[in-house]
Amino acid sequence: DTGVSQDPRHKITKRGQNVTFRCDPISEHNRLYWYRQTLGQGPEFLTYFQNEAQLEKSRLLSDRFSAERPKGSFSTLEIQRTEQGDSAMYLCASSHRDGNEKLFFGSGTQLSVL
Amino acid sequence: GENVEQHPSTLSVQEGDSAVIKCTYSDSASNYFPWYKQELGKRPQLIIDIRSNVGEKKDQRIAVTLNKTAKHFSLHITETQPEDSAVYFCAATNDYKLSFGAGTTVTVRA
């Protein structure tokens, strides 16, 4: 499968712990996005990278959240001091070139904070 | 920012009938409108998209229409089949950041 891949698929953690998710975009895509999806809702934009530069962060992304894309390839999303409200599906997507190009999503990481 | 509303939230149709999902958007500058299908436990998959310079686009049994004046767009699925059962999301953007509707759960009854 040469699509967007995410790891892990599922993560269960205790409140207060730190978690890190990884996303590998489609290789030729220079844009990478993180979205969050809760049950019964559409995905909500969190942040966006063009190559290694993080160009926008949503107000949904509190100081406990940090995302990186160090070499313009894979990306990581870290949540520090997790809270129960962080429980959600975290989706990564990538697209090619500038402009309104098609987004391709990964299968997501389902986070459960106990 | 952009606000996308989607109706209905659930839709049950008899196999072979048509299904229509409608979305409205708030930002008149939005110019790209994709539709995603998400099956249970799977990734959202792009099924069709339309740009603001086009009023209608069709791909086999699915079609999308766009009314820029009224700021609404619709997804039409004809001759529905059991494999069409899924959650469908509409989205809109004028740059790179998609704003999604809340989704429509479509159930096709055999």
Side-chain angles (χ1 to χ4, degrees), chain A residues 1 3-4 9 31 33 35 37 40-43 45 48 56 91 99-107, chain B residues 31-32 36 38 41-46 49 51 57 89 93-103:
Chain A
D1 186 355
V4 179
R9 290 293 308 276
R31 289 189 162 193
Y33 313 77
Y35 282 79
Q37 185 177 26
Q41 297 297 318
F45 172 81
Y48 150 67
E56 185 172 346
L91 292 164
N100 297 332
E101 298 298 331
K102 303 176 193 297
L103 259 65
F104 294 89
F105 281 90
S107 296
Chain B
N31 57 12
Y32 176 62
Y36 285 83
Q38 188 174 28
K42 296 191 176 181
R43 69 186 73 194
Q45 289 197 307
L46 179 68
D49 57 7
R51 299 188 188 276
K57 184 176 179 181
F89 294 98
T93 185
N94 69 342
D95 49 24
Y96 51 82
K97 183 169 62 181
L98 287 176
S99 295
F100 285 84

mmCIF file of all heavy atoms in Angstrom, chain A residues 1 3-4 9 31 33 35 37 40-43 45 48 56 91 99-107, chain B residues 31-32 36 38 41-46 49 51 57 89 93-103:
data_model
loop_
_atom_site.group_PDB
_atom_site.id
_atom_site.type_symbol
_atom_site.label_atom_id
_atom_site.label_comp_id
_atom_site.label_asym_id
_atom_site.label_seq_id
_atom_site.Cartn_x
_atom_site.Cartn_y
_atom_site.Cartn_z
ATOM 1 N N ASP A 1 0.844 -1.191 0.000
ATOM 2 C CA ASP A 1 0.000 0.000 0.000
ATOM 3 C C ASP A 1 0.880 1.241 0.000
ATOM 4 O O ASP A 1 1.665 1.446 0.901
ATOM 5 C CB ASP A 1 -0.896 -0.031 1.250
ATOM 6 C CG ASP A 1 -1.902 1.108 1.235
ATOM 7 O OD1 ASP A 1 -1.829 1.956 0.328
ATOM 8 O OD2 ASP A 1 -2.732 1.162 2.147
ATOM 9 N N GLY A 3 -0.145 4.348 0.051
ATOM 10 C CA GLY A 3 -0.895 5.489 0.542
ATOM 11 C C GLY A 3 -0.274 6.058 1.802
ATOM 12 O O GLY A 3 0.858 5.744 2.176
ATOM 13 N N VAL A 4 -1.022 6.927 2.471
ATOM 14 C CA VAL A 4 -0.583 7.528 3.723
ATOM 15 C C VAL A 4 -0.664 6.464 4.827
ATOM 16 O O VAL A 4 -1.689 5.802 4.960
ATOM 17 C CB VAL A 4 -1.472 8.726 4.081
ATOM 18 C CG1 VAL A 4 -1.031 9.338 5.406
ATOM 19 C CG2 VAL A 4 -1.449 9.765 2.957
ATOM 20 N N ARG A 9 -2.107 2.229 15.102
ATOM 21 C CA ARG A 9 -3.517 2.312 14.734
ATOM 22 C C ARG A 9 -4.379 2.623 15.953
ATOM 23 O O ARG A 9 -5.394 3.303 15.836
ATOM 24 C CB ARG A 9 -3.991 1.013 14.093
ATOM 25 C CG ARG A 9 -3.410 0.747 12.714
ATOM 26 C CD ARG A 9 -3.912 1.754 11.679
ATOM 27 N NE ARG A 9 -5.352 1.874 11.653
ATOM 28 C CZ ARG A 9 -6.176 1.065 10.982
ATOM 29 N NH1 ARG A 9 -5.686 0.075 10.269
ATOM 30 N NH2 ARG A 9 -7.481 1.256 10.994
ATOM 31 N N ARG A 31 2.753 18.473 0.962
ATOM 32 C CA ARG A 31 1.891 19.031 1.996
ATOM 33 C C ARG A 31 1.392 17.915 2.912
ATOM 34 O O ARG A 31 1.001 16.848 2.435
ATOM 35 C CB ARG A 31 0.702 19.747 1.371
ATOM 36 C CG ARG A 31 1.085 21.035 0.679
ATOM 37 C CD ARG A 31 -0.128 21.805 0.270
ATOM 38 N NE ARG A 31 0.214 23.207 -0.014
ATOM 39 C CZ ARG A 31 -0.669 24.164 -0.149
ATOM 40 N NH1 ARG A 31 -1.953 23.904 -0.029
ATOM 41 N NH2 ARG A 31 -0.292 25.403 -0.396
ATOM 42 N N TYR A 33 -1.002 17.209 6.569
ATOM 43 C CA TYR A 33 -2.018 17.783 7.443
ATOM 44 C C TYR A 33 -2.331 16.810 8.580
ATOM 45 O O TYR A 33 -2.295 15.592 8.390
ATOM 46 C CB TYR A 33 -3.334 18.003 6.689
ATOM 47 C CG TYR A 33 -3.208 18.680 5.345
ATOM 48 C CD1 TYR A 33 -2.755 17.986 4.231
ATOM 49 C CD2 TYR A 33 -3.573 20.014 5.184
ATOM 50 C CE1 TYR A 33 -2.652 18.595 2.995
ATOM 51 C CE2 TYR A 33 -3.481 20.625 3.947
ATOM 52 C CZ TYR A 33 -3.018 19.914 2.857
ATOM 53 O OH TYR A 33 -2.922 20.521 1.633
ATOM 54 N N TYR A 35 -5.562 16.116 11.191
ATOM 55 C CA TYR A 35 -6.952 16.389 11.529
ATOM 56 C C TYR A 35 -7.333 15.533 12.736
ATOM 57 O O TYR A 35 -6.732 14.493 12.987
ATOM 58 C CB TYR A 35 -7.887 16.031 10.361
ATOM 59 C CG TYR A 35 -7.926 17.033 9.236
ATOM 60 C CD1 TYR A 35 -6.909 17.078 8.288
ATOM 61 C CD2 TYR A 35 -8.978 17.928 9.119
ATOM 62 C CE1 TYR A 35 -6.944 18.003 7.256
ATOM 63 C CE2 TYR A 35 -9.036 18.860 8.081
ATOM 64 C CZ TYR A 35 -8.007 18.882 7.160
ATOM 65 O OH TYR A 35 -8.050 19.795 6.127
ATOM 66 N N GLN A 37 -10.804 13.696 14.541
ATOM 67 C CA GLN A 37 -12.197 13.329 14.292
ATOM 68 C C GLN A 37 -12.771 12.662 15.531
ATOM 69 O O GLN A 37 -12.217 11.679 16.030
ATOM 70 C CB GLN A 37 -12.308 12.385 13.086
ATOM 71 C CG GLN A 37 -13.735 12.058 12.685
ATOM 72 C CD GLN A 37 -13.804 11.187 11.462
ATOM 73 O OE1 GLN A 37 -12.880 10.439 11.154
ATOM 74 N NE2 GLN A 37 -14.924 11.274 10.733
ATOM 75 N N GLY A 40 -19.186 10.812 15.270
ATOM 76 C CA GLY A 40 -20.336 11.539 14.763
ATOM 77 C C GLY A 40 -20.027 12.901 14.177
ATOM 78 O O GLY A 40 -20.944 13.660 13.861
ATOM 79 N N GLN A 41 -18.748 13.210 14.028
ATOM 80 C CA GLN A 41 -18.355 14.511 13.478
ATOM 81 C C GLN A 41 -17.419 14.336 12.294
ATOM 82 O O GLN A 41 -16.783 13.294 12.132
ATOM 83 C CB GLN A 41 -17.660 15.347 14.557
ATOM 84 C CG GLN A 41 -18.536 15.674 15.736
ATOM 85 C CD GLN A 41 -19.730 16.530 15.348
ATOM 86 O OE1 GLN A 41 -19.609 17.465 14.555
ATOM 87 N NE2 GLN A 41 -20.891 16.210 15.900
ATOM 88 N N GLY A 42 -17.321 15.383 11.509
ATOM 89 C CA GLY A 42 -16.344 15.378 10.445
ATOM 90 C C GLY A 42 -14.962 15.720 10.977
ATOM 91 O O GLY A 42 -14.826 16.242 12.089
ATOM 92 N N PRO A 43 -13.932 15.434 10.199
ATOM 93 C CA PRO A 43 -12.571 15.781 10.636
ATOM 94 C C PRO A 43 -12.415 17.287 10.850
ATOM 95 O O PRO A 43 -12.978 18.086 10.103
ATOM 96 C CB PRO A 43 -11.705 15.305 9.464
ATOM 97 C CG PRO A 43 -12.523 14.246 8.781
ATOM 98 C CD PRO A 43 -13.939 14.707 8.925
ATOM 99 N N PHE A 45 -9.561 20.389 11.286
ATOM 100 C CA PHE A 45 -8.179 20.740 10.973
ATOM 101 C C PHE A 45 -7.395 21.061 12.242
ATOM 102 O O PHE A 45 -7.867 21.797 13.115
ATOM 103 C CB PHE A 45 -8.181 21.953 10.048
ATOM 104 C CG PHE A 45 -6.828 22.543 9.786
ATOM 105 C CD1 PHE A 45 -5.983 21.987 8.840
ATOM 106 C CD2 PHE A 45 -6.394 23.653 10.494
ATOM 107 C CE1 PHE A 45 -4.734 22.541 8.598
ATOM 108 C CE2 PHE A 45 -5.152 24.206 10.262
ATOM 109 C CZ PHE A 45 -4.322 23.646 9.302
ATOM 110 N N TYR A 48 -0.851 22.114 9.603
ATOM 111 C CA TYR A 48 -0.489 21.904 8.195
ATOM 112 C C TYR A 48 0.986 22.222 7.987
ATOM 113 O O TYR A 48 1.503 23.205 8.526
ATOM 114 C CB TYR A 48 -1.382 22.797 7.346
ATOM 115 C CG TYR A 48 -0.817 23.289 6.049
ATOM 116 C CD1 TYR A 48 -0.559 22.404 5.007
ATOM 117 C CD2 TYR A 48 -0.553 24.639 5.856
ATOM 118 C CE1 TYR A 48 -0.058 22.867 3.815
ATOM 119 C CE2 TYR A 48 -0.055 25.104 4.660
ATOM 120 C CZ TYR A 48 0.195 24.214 3.643
ATOM 121 O OH TYR A 48 0.695 24.666 2.454
ATOM 122 N N GLU A 56 0.526 26.525 9.598
ATOM 123 C CA GLU A 56 -0.668 26.944 10.326
ATOM 124 C C GLU A 56 -0.995 25.950 11.420
ATOM 125 O O GLU A 56 -0.819 24.747 11.252
ATOM 126 C CB GLU A 56 -1.878 27.084 9.396
ATOM 127 C CG GLU A 56 -3.109 27.635 10.117
ATOM 128 C CD GLU A 56 -4.275 27.964 9.210
ATOM 129 O OE1 GLU A 56 -4.094 28.022 7.987
ATOM 130 O OE2 GLU A 56 -5.386 28.162 9.751
ATOM 131 N N LEU A 91 -6.172 11.859 12.394
ATOM 132 C CA LEU A 91 -5.982 11.529 10.982
ATOM 133 C C LEU A 91 -4.884 12.387 10.377
ATOM 134 O O LEU A 91 -4.814 13.586 10.619
ATOM 135 C CB LEU A 91 -7.274 11.783 10.202
ATOM 136 C CG LEU A 91 -8.461 10.871 10.490
ATOM 137 C CD1 LEU A 91 -9.740 11.478 9.947
ATOM 138 C CD2 LEU A 91 -8.234 9.495 9.873
ATOM 139 N N GLY A 99 -2.059 24.851 -3.925
ATOM 140 C CA GLY A 99 -3.423 24.992 -4.409
ATOM 141 C C GLY A 99 -4.353 23.936 -3.847
ATOM 142 O O GLY A 99 -4.014 23.175 -2.949
ATOM 143 N N ASN A 100 -5.534 23.863 -4.368
ATOM 144 C CA ASN A 100 -6.551 22.960 -3.848
ATOM 145 C C ASN A 100 -6.390 21.569 -4.430
ATOM 146 O O ASN A 100 -7.187 21.108 -5.237
ATOM 147 C CB ASN A 100 -7.936 23.507 -4.168
ATOM 148 C CG ASN A 100 -8.158 24.835 -3.476
ATOM 149 O OD1 ASN A 100 -7.584 25.090 -2.428
ATOM 150 N ND2 ASN A 100 -8.961 25.675 -4.065
ATOM 151 N N GLU A 101 -5.361 20.906 -4.038
ATOM 152 C CA GLU A 101 -5.138 19.568 -4.546
ATOM 153 C C GLU A 101 -5.805 18.544 -3.640
ATOM 154 O O GLU A 101 -6.104 18.797 -2.491
ATOM 155 C CB GLU A 101 -3.643 19.291 -4.664
ATOM 156 C CG GLU A 101 -2.934 20.212 -5.632
ATOM 157 C CD GLU A 101 -3.452 20.084 -7.044
ATOM 158 O OE1 GLU A 101 -3.913 18.979 -7.402
ATOM 159 O OE2 GLU A 101 -3.413 21.078 -7.795
ATOM 160 N N LYS A 102 -5.992 17.363 -4.167
ATOM 161 C CA LYS A 102 -6.737 16.325 -3.467
ATOM 162 C C LYS A 102 -5.988 15.854 -2.225
ATOM 163 O O LYS A 102 -4.794 15.571 -2.280
ATOM 164 C CB LYS A 102 -6.960 15.150 -4.417
ATOM 165 C CG LYS A 102 -7.674 15.554 -5.706
ATOM 166 C CD LYS A 102 -7.767 14.372 -6.651
ATOM 167 C CE LYS A 102 -8.186 14.806 -8.050
ATOM 168 N NZ LYS A 102 -9.522 15.391 -8.091
ATOM 169 N N LEU A 103 -6.724 15.754 -1.119
ATOM 170 C CA LEU A 103 -6.164 15.222 0.116
ATOM 171 C C LEU A 103 -6.393 13.728 0.190
ATOM 172 O O LEU A 103 -7.507 13.248 -0.059
ATOM 173 C CB LEU A 103 -6.822 15.881 1.328
ATOM 174 C CG LEU A 103 -6.048 16.982 2.028
ATOM 175 C CD1 LEU A 103 -5.873 18.164 1.108
ATOM 176 C CD2 LEU A 103 -6.735 17.380 3.312
ATOM 177 N N PHE A 104 -5.337 13.021 0.571
ATOM 178 C CA PHE A 104 -5.430 11.579 0.778
ATOM 179 C C PHE A 104 -5.163 11.307 2.259
ATOM 180 O O PHE A 104 -4.124 11.718 2.783
ATOM 181 C CB PHE A 104 -4.433 10.840 -0.108
ATOM 182 C CG PHE A 104 -4.738 10.983 -1.568
ATOM 183 C CD1 PHE A 104 -4.204 12.043 -2.298
ATOM 184 C CD2 PHE A 104 -5.571 10.092 -2.211
ATOM 185 C CE1 PHE A 104 -4.494 12.199 -3.645
ATOM 186 C CE2 PHE A 104 -5.863 10.239 -3.559
ATOM 187 C CZ PHE A 104 -5.329 11.286 -4.276
ATOM 188 N N PHE A 105 -6.091 10.606 2.880
ATOM 189 C CA PHE A 105 -6.012 10.379 4.316
ATOM 190 C C PHE A 105 -5.375 9.033 4.643
ATOM 191 O O PHE A 105 -5.492 8.054 3.884
ATOM 192 C CB PHE A 105 -7.413 10.401 4.936
ATOM 193 C CG PHE A 105 -7.951 11.784 5.152
ATOM 194 C CD1 PHE A 105 -8.695 12.413 4.167
ATOM 195 C CD2 PHE A 105 -7.710 12.461 6.337
ATOM 196 C CE1 PHE A 105 -9.198 13.696 4.361
ATOM 197 C CE2 PHE A 105 -8.202 13.742 6.545
ATOM 198 C CZ PHE A 105 -8.948 14.351 5.553
ATOM 199 N N GLY A 106 -4.738 8.990 5.806
ATOM 200 C CA GLY A 106 -4.320 7.735 6.397
ATOM 201 C C GLY A 106 -5.483 7.100 7.155
ATOM 202 O O GLY A 106 -6.571 7.681 7.234
ATOM 203 N N SER A 107 -5.228 5.940 7.723
ATOM 204 C CA SER A 107 -6.280 5.220 8.449
ATOM 205 C C SER A 107 -6.479 5.750 9.864
ATOM 206 O O SER A 107 -7.428 5.350 10.534
ATOM 207 C CB SER A 107 -5.965 3.727 8.487
ATOM 208 O OG SER A 107 -5.973 3.195 7.177
ATOM 209 N N ASN B 31 -13.708 27.534 -3.200
ATOM 210 C CA ASN B 31 -13.696 27.202 -4.624
ATOM 211 C C ASN B 31 -13.404 25.732 -4.913
ATOM 212 O O ASN B 31 -13.226 25.341 -6.066
ATOM 213 C CB ASN B 31 -12.672 28.090 -5.354
ATOM 214 C CG ASN B 31 -11.285 27.960 -4.765
ATOM 215 O OD1 ASN B 31 -11.014 27.068 -3.969
ATOM 216 N ND2 ASN B 31 -10.406 28.864 -5.156
ATOM 217 N N TYR B 32 -13.333 24.924 -3.863
ATOM 218 C CA TYR B 32 -13.062 23.495 -4.062
ATOM 219 C C TYR B 32 -13.921 22.712 -3.081
ATOM 220 O O TYR B 32 -13.930 23.008 -1.879
ATOM 221 C CB TYR B 32 -11.576 23.208 -3.846
ATOM 222 C CG TYR B 32 -11.214 21.741 -3.941
ATOM 223 C CD1 TYR B 32 -11.398 21.022 -5.119
ATOM 224 C CD2 TYR B 32 -10.670 21.076 -2.848
ATOM 225 C CE1 TYR B 32 -11.068 19.683 -5.205
ATOM 226 C CE2 TYR B 32 -10.332 19.739 -2.917
ATOM 227 C CZ TYR B 32 -10.529 19.037 -4.099
ATOM 228 O OH TYR B 32 -10.191 17.718 -4.180
ATOM 229 N N TYR B 36 -16.079 12.855 0.631
ATOM 230 C CA TYR B 36 -15.356 11.691 1.128
ATOM 231 C C TYR B 36 -16.348 10.646 1.626
ATOM 232 O O TYR B 36 -17.396 10.975 2.191
ATOM 233 C CB TYR B 36 -14.415 12.090 2.281
ATOM 234 C CG TYR B 36 -13.173 12.811 1.823
ATOM 235 C CD1 TYR B 36 -13.191 14.186 1.578
ATOM 236 C CD2 TYR B 36 -11.984 12.122 1.615
ATOM 237 C CE1 TYR B 36 -12.051 14.843 1.141
ATOM 238 C CE2 TYR B 36 -10.839 12.780 1.182
ATOM 239 C CZ TYR B 36 -10.886 14.139 0.946
ATOM 240 O OH TYR B 36 -9.767 14.792 0.505
ATOM 241 N N GLN B 38 -16.502 7.301 4.142
ATOM 242 C CA GLN B 38 -15.774 6.643 5.210
ATOM 243 C C GLN B 38 -16.561 5.438 5.693
ATOM 244 O O GLN B 38 -17.637 5.574 6.264
ATOM 245 C CB GLN B 38 -15.494 7.603 6.367
ATOM 246 C CG GLN B 38 -14.569 7.037 7.437
ATOM 247 C CD GLN B 38 -14.196 8.058 8.496
ATOM 248 O OE1 GLN B 38 -14.937 8.984 8.787
ATOM 249 N NE2 GLN B 38 -13.006 7.899 9.085
ATOM 250 N N GLY B 41 -14.387 2.139 10.582
ATOM 251 C CA GLY B 41 -13.017 1.756 10.913
ATOM 252 C C GLY B 41 -11.999 2.003 9.818
ATOM 253 O O GLY B 41 -10.849 1.586 9.941
ATOM 254 N N LYS B 42 -12.412 2.688 8.755
ATOM 255 C CA LYS B 42 -11.483 2.909 7.641
ATOM 256 C C LYS B 42 -11.236 4.396 7.410
ATOM 257 O O LYS B 42 -11.883 5.246 7.998
ATOM 258 C CB LYS B 42 -12.019 2.244 6.377
ATOM 259 C CG LYS B 42 -12.116 0.732 6.502
ATOM 260 C CD LYS B 42 -12.396 0.083 5.171
ATOM 261 C CE LYS B 42 -12.384 -1.430 5.299
ATOM 262 N NZ LYS B 42 -12.631 -2.112 4.005
ATOM 263 N N ARG B 43 -10.294 4.677 6.549
ATOM 264 C CA ARG B 43 -9.919 6.055 6.278
ATOM 265 C C ARG B 43 -10.962 6.744 5.407
ATOM 266 O O ARG B 43 -11.638 6.094 4.612
ATOM 267 C CB ARG B 43 -8.569 6.098 5.560
ATOM 268 C CG ARG B 43 -8.598 5.564 4.124
ATOM 269 C CD ARG B 43 -7.210 5.488 3.529
ATOM 270 N NE ARG B 43 -6.446 4.396 4.103
ATOM 271 C CZ ARG B 43 -5.131 4.257 3.974
ATOM 272 N NH1 ARG B 43 -4.429 5.164 3.315
ATOM 273 N NH2 ARG B 43 -4.507 3.238 4.511
ATOM 274 N N PRO B 44 -11.114 8.055 5.522
ATOM 275 C CA PRO B 44 -11.960 8.784 4.566
ATOM 276 C C PRO B 44 -11.339 8.676 3.169
ATOM 277 O O PRO B 44 -10.136 8.904 3.010
ATOM 278 C CB PRO B 44 -11.934 10.226 5.074
ATOM 279 C CG PRO B 44 -11.471 10.134 6.493
ATOM 280 C CD PRO B 44 -10.557 8.952 6.549
ATOM 281 N N GLN B 45 -12.154 8.350 2.186
ATOM 282 C CA GLN B 45 -11.656 8.216 0.813
ATOM 283 C C GLN B 45 -12.374 9.205 -0.084
ATOM 284 O O GLN B 45 -13.613 9.286 -0.070
ATOM 285 C CB GLN B 45 -11.865 6.791 0.298
ATOM 286 C CG GLN B 45 -10.930 5.776 0.958
ATOM 287 C CD GLN B 45 -10.844 4.485 0.199
ATOM 288 O OE1 GLN B 45 -11.867 3.891 -0.097
ATOM 289 N NE2 GLN B 45 -9.643 4.040 -0.120
ATOM 290 N N LEU B 46 -11.602 9.922 -0.861
ATOM 291 C CA LEU B 46 -12.158 10.888 -1.804
ATOM 292 C C LEU B 46 -12.907 10.144 -2.904
ATOM 293 O O LEU B 46 -12.353 9.242 -3.538
ATOM 294 C CB LEU B 46 -11.024 11.716 -2.409
ATOM 295 C CG LEU B 46 -11.415 12.762 -3.446
ATOM 296 C CD1 LEU B 46 -12.206 13.881 -2.796
ATOM 297 C CD2 LEU B 46 -10.166 13.323 -4.124
ATOM 298 N N ASP B 49 -14.957 15.231 -6.542
ATOM 299 C CA ASP B 49 -14.763 16.616 -6.137
ATOM 300 C C ASP B 49 -15.179 17.541 -7.280
ATOM 301 O O ASP B 49 -15.310 17.113 -8.429
ATOM 302 C CB ASP B 49 -13.325 16.895 -5.695
ATOM 303 C CG ASP B 49 -12.286 16.547 -6.771
ATOM 304 O OD1 ASP B 49 -12.676 16.218 -7.914
ATOM 305 O OD2 ASP B 49 -11.081 16.598 -6.466
ATOM 306 N N ARG B 51 -14.844 21.829 -8.646
ATOM 307 C CA ARG B 51 -14.292 23.166 -8.454
ATOM 308 C C ARG B 51 -15.333 24.196 -8.848
ATOM 309 O O ARG B 51 -16.285 23.886 -9.567
ATOM 310 C CB ARG B 51 -13.000 23.320 -9.249
ATOM 311 C CG ARG B 51 -11.948 22.335 -8.787
ATOM 312 C CD ARG B 51 -10.584 22.554 -9.400
ATOM 313 N NE ARG B 51 -9.679 21.463 -9.053
ATOM 314 C CZ ARG B 51 -8.982 21.401 -7.922
ATOM 315 N NH1 ARG B 51 -9.093 22.370 -7.029
ATOM 316 N NH2 ARG B 51 -8.196 20.373 -7.674
ATOM 317 N N LYS B 57 -20.608 17.561 -12.018
ATOM 318 C CA LYS B 57 -19.595 16.562 -12.390
ATOM 319 C C LYS B 57 -20.153 15.184 -12.084
ATOM 320 O O LYS B 57 -20.802 14.989 -11.055
ATOM 321 C CB LYS B 57 -18.305 16.818 -11.608
ATOM 322 C CG LYS B 57 -17.150 15.903 -11.964
ATOM 323 C CD LYS B 57 -15.912 16.332 -11.181
ATOM 324 C CE LYS B 57 -14.728 15.441 -11.472
ATOM 325 N NZ LYS B 57 -13.529 15.863 -10.682
ATOM 326 N N PHE B 89 -18.974 12.554 3.853
ATOM 327 C CA PHE B 89 -18.662 13.903 4.315
ATOM 328 C C PHE B 89 -18.470 14.830 3.124
ATOM 329 O O PHE B 89 -17.753 14.491 2.176
ATOM 330 C CB PHE B 89 -17.365 13.911 5.133
ATOM 331 C CG PHE B 89 -17.432 13.159 6.431
ATOM 332 C CD1 PHE B 89 -16.961 11.857 6.522
ATOM 333 C CD2 PHE B 89 -17.945 13.760 7.568
ATOM 334 C CE1 PHE B 89 -17.013 11.161 7.718
ATOM 335 C CE2 PHE B 89 -18.007 13.077 8.774
ATOM 336 C CZ PHE B 89 -17.536 11.776 8.845
ATOM 337 N N THR B 93 -13.256 24.493 0.744
ATOM 338 C CA THR B 93 -12.059 25.262 1.048
ATOM 339 C C THR B 93 -11.784 26.281 -0.053
ATOM 340 O O THR B 93 -12.242 26.109 -1.189
ATOM 341 C CB THR B 93 -10.828 24.356 1.206
ATOM 342 O OG1 THR B 93 -9.709 25.155 1.619
ATOM 343 C CG2 THR B 93 -10.472 23.692 -0.107
ATOM 344 N N ASN B 94 -11.038 27.318 0.302
ATOM 345 C CA ASN B 94 -10.532 28.228 -0.725
ATOM 346 C C ASN B 94 -9.005 28.254 -0.715
ATOM 347 O O ASN B 94 -8.397 29.052 -1.420
ATOM 348 C CB ASN B 94 -11.078 29.641 -0.540
ATOM 349 C CG ASN B 94 -10.507 30.308 0.700
ATOM 350 O OD1 ASN B 94 -9.980 29.645 1.593
ATOM 351 N ND2 ASN B 94 -10.603 31.612 0.775
ATOM 352 N N ASP B 95 -8.414 27.395 0.111
ATOM 353 C CA ASP B 95 -6.956 27.300 0.110
ATOM 354 C C ASP B 95 -6.561 25.838 0.329
ATOM 355 O O ASP B 95 -6.813 25.009 -0.515
ATOM 356 C CB ASP B 95 -6.329 28.238 1.146
ATOM 357 C CG ASP B 95 -6.963 28.135 2.529
ATOM 358 O OD1 ASP B 95 -7.547 27.076 2.850
ATOM 359 O OD2 ASP B 95 -6.901 29.110 3.295
ATOM 360 N N TYR B 96 -5.966 25.540 1.441
ATOM 361 C CA TYR B 96 -5.500 24.174 1.693
ATOM 362 C C TYR B 96 -6.249 23.513 2.840
ATOM 363 O O TYR B 96 -6.140 22.326 3.068
ATOM 364 C CB TYR B 96 -4.005 24.199 2.045
ATOM 365 C CG TYR B 96 -3.687 25.196 3.128
ATOM 366 C CD1 TYR B 96 -3.883 24.882 4.466
ATOM 367 C CD2 TYR B 96 -3.228 26.474 2.809
ATOM 368 C CE1 TYR B 96 -3.631 25.805 5.462
ATOM 369 C CE2 TYR B 96 -2.973 27.405 3.804
ATOM 370 C CZ TYR B 96 -3.177 27.066 5.121
ATOM 371 O OH TYR B 96 -2.920 27.992 6.107
ATOM 372 N N LYS B 97 -6.997 24.307 3.600
ATOM 373 C CA LYS B 97 -7.609 23.806 4.823
ATOM 374 C C LYS B 97 -9.066 23.449 4.569
ATOM 375 O O LYS B 97 -9.904 24.318 4.375
ATOM 376 C CB LYS B 97 -7.497 24.892 5.895
ATOM 377 C CG LYS B 97 -8.026 24.503 7.249
ATOM 378 C CD LYS B 97 -7.626 25.525 8.284
ATOM 379 C CE LYS B 97 -8.188 26.888 7.991
ATOM 380 N NZ LYS B 97 -7.765 27.891 8.993
ATOM 381 N N LEU B 98 -9.355 22.143 4.570
ATOM 382 C CA LEU B 98 -10.723 21.700 4.343
ATOM 383 C C LEU B 98 -11.567 21.879 5.597
ATOM 384 O O LEU B 98 -11.130 21.531 6.697
ATOM 385 C CB LEU B 98 -10.739 20.221 3.948
ATOM 386 C CG LEU B 98 -10.247 19.856 2.542
ATOM 387 C CD1 LEU B 98 -10.258 18.345 2.375
ATOM 388 C CD2 LEU B 98 -11.095 20.524 1.481
ATOM 389 N N SER B 99 -12.784 22.389 5.415
ATOM 390 C CA SER B 99 -13.771 22.409 6.486
ATOM 391 C C SER B 99 -14.823 21.377 6.128
ATOM 392 O O SER B 99 -15.401 21.422 5.034
ATOM 393 C CB SER B 99 -14.417 23.794 6.602
ATOM 394 O OG SER B 99 -13.465 24.762 6.993
ATOM 395 N N PHE B 100 -15.080 20.443 7.042
ATOM 396 C CA PHE B 100 -15.961 19.324 6.777
ATOM 397 C C PHE B 100 -17.337 19.529 7.381
ATOM 398 O O PHE B 100 -17.489 20.153 8.435
ATOM 399 C CB PHE B 100 -15.366 18.034 7.365
ATOM 400 C CG PHE B 100 -14.223 17.468 6.593
ATOM 401 C CD1 PHE B 100 -12.932 17.930 6.785
ATOM 402 C CD2 PHE B 100 -14.425 16.463 5.659
ATOM 403 C CE1 PHE B 100 -11.871 17.412 6.075
ATOM 404 C CE2 PHE B 100 -13.379 15.930 4.942
ATOM 405 C CZ PHE B 100 -12.095 16.403 5.147
ATOM 406 N N GLY B 101 -18.340 18.939 6.715
ATOM 407 C CA GLY B 101 -19.635 18.803 7.326
ATOM 408 C C GLY B 101 -19.598 17.699 8.376
ATOM 409 O O GLY B 101 -18.597 16.984 8.514
ATOM 410 N N ALA B 102 -20.703 17.542 9.088
ATOM 411 C CA ALA B 102 -20.754 16.573 10.196
ATOM 412 C C ALA B 102 -20.984 15.149 9.722
ATOM 413 O O ALA B 102 -20.874 14.215 10.520
ATOM 414 C CB ALA B 102 -21.829 16.979 11.193
ATOM 415 N N GLY B 103 -21.292 14.971 8.445
ATOM 416 C CA GLY B 103 -21.424 13.629 7.908
ATOM 417 C C GLY B 103 -22.866 13.161 7.767
ATOM 418 O O GLY B 103 -23.758 13.606 8.499
#
